[in-house]
Amino acid sequence: MLTVFCIQLHAGVATKGIGMFPSDKLASLRKLLFEMEQDLGLADLSGIQRDVYYAARLTAEGAEMVRGEAIRSHALLNRISRPTFYRALKDLELAGYLSHADTTRSGKYRLLR
Amino acid sequence: MTGAIELFKQTIGATIVCLIAISITWLFVPLQDHIGYRYADHLAFMIYFPHGCRLLISWAFGTRSALLLLPSAAIEEATMHLLGHFPYVLVIAIVLSVSPALAFLISASLGYESRLKYNSRTHWRRLLLLGFASSLIETVTLSNLLGWTSQQFLVWWLSSWLGVLFTLISLMFGFRFWRLWMTK
């Protein structure tokens, strides 16, 4: 019950932000704090998360936004199952590498770094 | 009208954040008393979290943060120094709310734009430096206005900067635990 609530809270925060902090500013704050974690040696991306991130970057080809399905079809991710892929996308979102586009139903992600 | 409503919402949000920060700062007073740095002797905190929050709000909202931060700074100073000292309370509140924005402006004029609106790649180390600079601006200004001793100067400066450091560290661990818990 608590997990469901927190997932919904996170989804709400990701799309609308919290009060005064719109979601883009929150995402930037999370990105900054994640860089701090990495610089202090506390954060690592797993192999799968790295592959999904690289696939996203390569698929985007310099664009700011990229479709989830387009990332999924990249050759780097051939051996990754669909649930694993979407779990890695969620992890990257939480870590501040990606964020959902303005409408989560668009299936698009914004590359934050 | 929409702009005014937005400004009002942001001001309320900033006020709540900073008042939570000062409440957390007060929670540390028994600890600082225990290690020998008695609040009653110095009338200063060892770690001043509101300065960290003010810096982050300035980073996110730029120059308008000076307006957003004024109410919380005024409330904080008024409750600590009694309403009888109203002009001083207002002056201190203005200095507290303007200093972070001023630090970012000075940094931008020197070619190091760090405000989120203009630079989405600001590194956390630069924020720490700007925290250091803004606490220096604040301390020099207040010291000149209020005639502080060098000890008061040093204590205020250090506690503000430690507030920035500990705010960033606390938020980092907070987001980390949230992220790890959500991905379990």
Side-chain angles (χ1 to χ4, degrees), chain B residues 95 99 102-103 106 132-142 157:
Chain B
V95 172
S99 298
L102 192 53
I106 293 171
F132 192 78
S134 68
S135 64
L136 182 61
I137 292 170
E138 193 178 283
T139 313
V140 165
T141 310
L142 289 174
W157 186 17

Side-chain angles (χ1 to χ4, degrees), chain A residues 2-3 6-10 19-22 24-26 28-37 39-40 42-44 49 87 90-91 94-96 112-113, chain B residues 6 9-15 17 56-57 59-61 68 116 120-125 127-128 165 167-169 171-173 175-176 178-179 181-183:
Chain A
L2 181 62
T3 307
C6 288
I7 289 169
Q8 287 175 339
L9 175 65
H10 171 74
M20 65 174 283
F21 270 107
D24 58 334
K25 293 196 197 307
L26 259 184
S28 297
L29 178 63
R30 272 162 43 188
K31 184 182 79 166
L32 183 140
L33 294 170
F34 190 70
E35 278 170 1
M36 191 175 174
E37 260 189 84
D39 289 347
L40 296 177
L42 295 171
D44 284 307
Q49 289 165 349
R87 197 160 40 240
K90 192 177 86 169
D91 292 345
L94 284 169
L112 296 179
R113 54 187 298 194
Chain B
E6 203 53 44
K9 275 165 53 177
Q10 289 169 357
T11 305
I12 297 292
T15 303
V17 164
L56 287 174
I57 290 170
W59 167 69
F61 292 94
L68 306 184
L116 182 58
S120 60
R121 292 170 176 266
T122 298
H123 199 265
W124 62 272
R125 287 193 191 100
L127 273 192
L128 277 183
L165 179 65
T167 300
L168 283 178
I169 290 173
L171 286 174
M172 182 195 76
F173 278 110
F175 275 114
R176 176 179 167 79
W178 174 266
R179 190 179 76 248
W181 190 65
M182 288 293 288
T183 56

Side-chain angles (χ1 to χ4, degrees), chain B residues 96-167:
Chain B
L96 293 180
S97 51
V98 164
S99 298
L102 192 53
F104 278 98
L105 275 175
I106 293 171
S107 173
S109 67
L110 294 173
Y112 299 99
E113 177 61 77
S114 306
R115 290 167 293 181
L116 182 58
K117 185 178 170 182
Y118 305 106
N119 180 2
S120 60
R121 292 170 176 266
T122 298
H123 199 265
W124 62 272
R125 287 193 191 100
R126 190 181 284 186
L127 273 192
L128 277 183
L129 268 175
L130 282 163
F132 192 78
S134 68
S135 64
L136 182 61
I137 292 170
E138 193 178 283
T139 313
V140 165
T141 310
L142 289 174
S143 176
N144 278 300
L145 286 173
L146 304 173
W148 284 350
T149 63
S150 53
Q151 188 191 9
Q152 285 172 307
F153 180 100
L154 273 172
V155 160
W156 187 290
W157 186 17
L158 205 56
S159 67
S160 293
W161 186 71
L162 285 176
V164 171
L165 179 65
F166 278 85
T167 300

Side-chain angles (χ1 to χ4, degrees), chain A residues 74-111:
Chain A
H74 195 280
L76 263 179
L77 308 177
N78 279 344
R79 294 180 180 216
I80 295 176
S81 70
R82 209 173 172 78
T84 302
F85 167 72
Y86 280 105
R87 197 160 40 240
L89 264 188
K90 192 177 86 169
D91 292 345
L92 288 171
E93 201 187 340
L94 284 169
Y97 281 83
L98 306 169
S99 70
H100 269 297
D102 294 334
T103 53
T104 54
R105 288 189 173 276
S106 68
K108 284 188 179 173
Y109 293 84
R110 179 175 282 111
L111 294 161

Side-chain angles (χ1 to χ4, degrees), chain B residues 4-140:
Chain B
I5 293 170
E6 203 53 44
L7 183 65
F8 178 72
K9 275 165 53 177
Q10 289 169 357
T11 305
I12 297 292
T15 303
I16 291 170
V17 164
C18 290
L19 291 181
I20 289 172
I22 190 64
S23 305
I24 293 171
T25 301
W26 274 108
L27 289 176
F28 278 80
V29 166
L31 177 65
Q32 82 176 56
D33 284 351
H34 182 70
I35 62 173
Y37 186 81
R38 290 187 66 236
Y39 176 80
D41 294 340
H42 304 277
L43 291 180
F45 303 104
M46 268 184 72
I47 301 170
Y48 184 61
F49 284 99
H51 189 70
C53 295
R54 288 188 192 119
L55 188 81
L56 287 174
I57 290 170
S58 275
W59 167 69
F61 292 94
T63 325
R64 71 156 51 182
S65 65
L67 278 174
L68 306 184
L69 295 170
L70 189 57
S72 62
I75 292 169
E76 183 193 318
E77 292 305 311
T79 51
M80 282 170 59
H81 301 290
L82 304 176
L83 288 170
H85 293 88
F86 179 69
Y88 297 105
V89 160
L90 191 58
V91 166
I92 295 172
I94 289 171
V95 172
L96 293 180
S97 51
V98 164
S99 298
L102 192 53
F104 278 98
L105 275 175
I106 293 171
S107 173
S109 67
L110 294 173
Y112 299 99
E113 177 61 77
S114 306
R115 290 167 293 181
L116 182 58
K117 185 178 170 182
Y118 305 106
N119 180 2
S120 60
R121 292 170 176 266
T122 298
H123 199 265
W124 62 272
R125 287 193 191 100
R126 190 181 284 186
L127 273 192
L128 277 183
L129 268 175
L130 282 163
F132 192 78
S134 68
S135 64
L136 182 61
I137 292 170
E138 193 178 283
T139 313
V140 165

Side-chain angles (χ1 to χ4, degrees), chain A residues 11-25:
Chain A
V13 164
T15 50
K16 294 172 204 153
I18 298 177
M20 65 174 283
F21 270 107
S23 56
D24 58 334
K25 293 196 197 307

